[in-house]
Amino acid sequence: MKFSTKAIRTGQQPDPATGSIIVPVYQTVNFVFDDIGRPHNYEYSRSANPTRTALEQCLASLEEAKFGLAFASGMAAVDAVLSLLRPGDHVVSAEHIYGGTYRLFEQVYIPRGISFTYVKGWQPEAFADALRPNTKLVWIETPANPLLQLVNVRAVAEITRRHGAKLVADNTFSTPYFQRPLTQGADIVLHSTTKYVSGHSDVIGGVVLTNDPWVHEQVKFHQNAAGAVPGPWDCWLSLRGLKTLAVRMRQHEANARAVAEFLSKHPKVLETIYPGLPSHPQHDLAKAQMDGFGAIVTFRVDGGNEAVRRFVKALKIWLFAESLGGVESLVCHPATMSHGTLTPEERLEVGITDGTIRLSVGIEDVDDLIDDLGQALAQ
Ligand SMILES: *Cc1c(COP(=O)(O)O)cnc(C)c1O
């Protein structure tokens, strides 16, 4: 089956009890046993729940993974992957990662005896140089938040495999519609399903996907032991969102391309960053490893916080908010929002200036989106 068919059908057979076309919300804690030691199928909804199973199977099929495990948030999914580590282990991470992931590394896992090395730039050799004998995981996001640098997944996967470590790719920005890192050698893929996968800004969730039985068993143990599981309603909402992932991503991307082109020609815009623009330094890599360029567009204006404040105040359609990946268009100020937990020095070091603005391009009419950006930039 191809992508759109899997998104609508995999894990979603008509309900055996009633014939219901839609997977029901199994809003139950427990399930009756057939006999001593013989649960009917499910036992207790922390361990597993049928609505969650449907979501896990569907997401696994879209990422071409054997196994999928859903979590209560993207950060719970990140944390579950980090449960593979033991004190003394080391992680090589791309420097450009989600701010919340960085905070978890620095403020939760360093005190527990894990060490991290952040790789400057994106050259595969830089990842190789950062490896140590005790490196267990290599962590990447591609394209990364918010400056949209890419990492060559195949090259870094090969380096990681030769070292005996595992490559983790946070695929939240691309979604499996545009990129499937497991097919390029990554060992573990995770998502904040809060973003495009669910797609309607109404549910927080995460997922971990892998073909590695050992990783799956460890993460599944952690899922049940620590218990950061999504409820059945949240799984149901994510499943409903997934059905339209393909059509949404096509429209998100078409709108993003038009917005990026508009901004790249605008006299008040210093720089427009979008992997789909030929001016992006890794445009060729994007074409080679992705099936589309996504819908996050970042740009820079002169005048720092004051200019950004004027711009966002003047917007009529774009909403000034955290997060991304919903059908509505959002504008975010990384320096004070997604990357507000970094110190000013850390932000400058990774290139997030005060005049940097990140757009999550939605699927409203693109003429309205561009008109609104134009009038706000003119203020
Ligand atoms: C949002 C996000 C996360 C965290 O997910 P939550 O669902 O907010 O917990 C992790 N990685 C990336 C790339 C994200 O955008």
Side-chain angles (χ1 to χ4, degrees):
M1 278 194 286
K2 299 231 168 112
F3 192 93
S4 305
T5 316
K6 292 196 283 192
I8 293 169
R9 297 299 304 280
T10 301
Q12 303 167 80
Q13 304 79 0
D15 183 51
T18 62
S20 165
I21 294 286
I22 297 301
V23 173
V25 181
Y26 284 94
Q27 188 72 46
T28 182
V29 166
N30 42 7
F31 300 83
V32 73
F33 276 58
D34 287 341
D35 199 350
I36 288 184
R38 280 220 351 252
H40 182 67
N41 192 356
Y42 291 87
E43 291 169 55
Y44 186 66
S45 283
R46 169 158 39 75
S47 312
N49 172 284
T51 316
R52 194 168 97 213
T53 303
L55 174 64
E56 290 172 340
Q57 289 180 350
C58 187
L59 277 166
S61 77
L62 296 179
E63 283 284 3
E64 300 185 32
K66 285 202 188 84
F67 310 108
L69 292 164
F71 288 87
S73 69
M75 288 320 303
V78 170
D79 186 61
V81 172
L82 295 174
S83 78
L84 298 171
L85 301 169
R86 295 292 172 266
D89 286 347
H90 174 250
V91 178
V92 169
S93 172
E95 158 182 66
H96 298 275
I97 53 169
Y98 180 70
T101 302
Y102 178 71
R103 178 175 55 193
L104 192 66
F105 287 175
E106 291 289 306
Q107 296 185 34
V108 178
Y109 279 87
I110 288 181
R112 292 185 191 172
I114 312 292
S115 56
F116 297 84
T117 299
Y118 299 96
V119 173
K120 294 238 164 289
W122 48 80
Q123 279 78 10
E125 304 75 54
F127 283 84
D129 291 345
L131 292 168
R132 295 188 197 159
N134 56 340
T135 304
K136 296 290 161 54
L137 296 178
V138 175
W139 199 282
I140 59 171
E141 279 176 34
T142 176
N145 184 29
L147 299 176
L148 307 173
Q149 299 93 336
L150 272 66
V151 175
N152 185 325
V153 180
R154 276 183 208 286
V156 174
E158 177 58 23
I159 289 164
T160 306
R161 193 189 56 74
R162 277 208 306 267
H163 192 73
K166 303 216 178 281
L167 178 62
V168 185
D170 182 334
N171 204 28
T172 301
F173 272 39
S174 301
T175 82
Y177 187 67
F178 286 139
Q179 174 172 276
R180 288 159 306 283
L182 294 177
T183 67
Q184 299 168 343
D187 299 287
I188 303 168
V189 162
L190 68 91
H191 287 270
S192 166
T193 56
T194 309
K195 317 292 167 53
Y196 292 106
V197 163
S198 300
H200 297 73
S201 310
D202 52 13
V203 56
I204 300 274
V207 70
V208 177
L209 304 144
T210 186
N211 287 313
D212 183 325
W214 177 79
V215 168
H216 174 66
E217 282 312 314
Q218 298 289 313
V219 173
K220 190 173 165 59
F221 176 84
H222 189 79
Q223 184 197 43
N224 184 48
V229 293
W233 271 107
D234 285 0
C235 293
W236 190 89
L237 282 168
S238 297
L239 260 181
R240 181 161 79 168
L242 260 189
K243 289 178 203 281
T244 55
L245 181 64
V247 287
R248 281 188 286 111
M249 292 319 291
R250 287 198 285 270
Q251 192 60 49
H252 273 296
E253 195 202 28
N255 285 5
R257 279 183 195 239
V259 164
E261 264 158 42
F262 168 77
L263 290 172
S264 66
K265 293 182 192 125
H266 197 285
K268 283 209 178 161
V269 173
L270 303 176
E271 187 189 3
T272 306
I273 307 170
Y274 181 62
L277 288 175
S279 60
H280 190 286
Q282 295 167 296
H283 180 59
D284 288 338
L285 176 60
K287 279 198 288 195
Q289 76 179 14
M290 302 173 75
D291 298 330
F293 303 111
I296 304 297
V297 178
T298 298
F299 68 103
R300 299 188 204 267
V301 292
D302 225 350
N305 282 348
E306 217 20 73
V308 174
R309 186 169 294 126
R310 257 198 326 275
F311 169 73
V312 297
K313 277 214 150 89
L315 288 167
K316 297 194 169 73
I317 295 174
W318 295 75
L319 300 164
F320 185 41
E322 301 259 12
S323 197
L324 58 112
V327 292
E328 57 285 305
S329 291
L330 304 179
V331 47
C332 156
H333 185 225
T336 55
M337 294 162 82
S338 59
H339 291 67
T341 54
L342 273 62
T343 65
E345 296 74 36
E346 286 172 327
R347 274 199 299 277
L348 277 188
E349 194 160 326
V350 296
I352 300 170
T353 57
D354 286 345
T356 303
I357 298 172
R358 187 194 76 189
L359 303 177
S360 171
V361 182
I363 60 171
E364 303 93 335
D365 191 287
V366 72
D367 294 341
D368 289 336
L369 295 180
I370 288 176
D371 286 352
D372 197 27
L373 291 174
Q375 66 82 18
L377 280 167
Q379 299 298 310

